[in-house]
Amino acid sequence: MADAYIGQIMQVSFNFAPIDWAVAAGQTLNVTQNQALFALIGATFGGDGRTTFQLPNLQSRVIIGAGQGPGLSNYAWGAHAGVERVALTQANLPAHSHAAAFTPTGGGTGGPTAVQALTGVAVTSLSVSPAAGSQLANTGPAGGGQPKIYAPAGTSGTPVNLGGVSGGGGITGGTVQIGNTGNNIPVETLPPYLALRTNICMSGLYPVQD
């Protein structure tokens, strides 16, 4: 194509680059052997910019117009970015909740149990203040204006259930397990595509800027 501009990009349905064209695959070229093309694109697409430069690599890439359209992002000439798939993180997910399962420990069944007190306890065994292991008991003579309602641990008596109150069934702790789900499979970001050969003109008309 003698009327093509040097540096022009062309996509074709055949699988090769014609005469005066090269596949745009990021090849490294010598500056002195390709001075016209280097004068147009420089080291925009790679190379040291002194003795070498690179062609644009359009393998597995789509072309986007450089600049910034209304309400869109700005893309600098020669910039390249993007990935074919991404792994979502917690920050990408909508707010949600998970079901949790509580496993109690301590020997209880988890249901409420009646609170008991001892009756028939000798009043001489009772005290005003509780100690470790104390139990509620029948009221004894007041001491210092306060009723004696606590029996020491191991005191003999008849346990009776108190109405209107209940305990936690002996549960002393437990663990909460939240179920895991998902396989960390990356999400595809590719739209439907058709792969064509992309070539760049190496020899032709030198473009003159308007």
Side-chain angles (χ1 to χ4, degrees):
M1 295 179 63
D3 56 349
Y5 287 112
I6 298 173
Q8 180 177 328
I9 296 292
M10 175 180 66
Q11 288 187 310
V12 296
S13 59
F14 47 85
N15 194 28
F16 61 90
I19 296 174
D20 295 332
W21 292 72
V23 175
Q27 302 95 310
T28 299
L29 304 180
N30 187 281
V31 171
T32 58
Q33 296 175 357
N34 300 274
Q35 294 184 25
L37 181 58
F38 177 74
L40 292 169
I41 67 174
T44 302
F45 306 101
D48 61 19
R50 294 179 293 103
T51 60
T52 64
F53 71 106
Q54 288 179 261
L55 298 181
N57 189 351
L58 286 167
Q59 297 178 115
S60 302
R61 291 190 177 275
V62 296
I63 299 173
I64 190 170
Q68 184 172 17
L72 301 175
S73 299
N74 183 36
Y75 295 94
W77 173 48
H80 57 90
V83 293
E84 294 181 338
R85 56 190 61 86
V86 295
L88 299 181
T89 67
Q90 183 176 347
N92 301 121
L93 303 179
H96 64 285
S97 60
H98 290 268
F102 175 69
T103 303
T105 59
T109 61
T113 57
V115 175
Q116 294 184 326
L118 293 178
T119 185
V121 178
V123 295
T124 55
S125 301
L126 301 176
S127 63
V128 174
S129 300
S134 293
Q135 294 177 279
L136 290 174
N138 49 271
T139 303
Q146 300 183 50
K148 296 181 178 181
I149 61 173
Y150 299 105
T155 300
S156 298
T158 302
V160 294
N161 294 337
L162 300 180
V165 292
S166 61
I171 297 175
T172 59
T175 58
V176 176
Q177 179 67 42
I178 299 177
N180 294 324
T181 187
N183 295 314
N184 294 324
I185 298 176
V187 178
E188 294 282 349
T189 59
L190 286 172
Y193 61 85
L194 174 65
L196 298 176
R197 182 63 68 191
T198 305
N199 299 322
I200 182 171
C201 182
M202 303 294 293
S203 178
L205 300 176
Y206 191 89
V208 178
Q209 188 171 358
D210 188 3

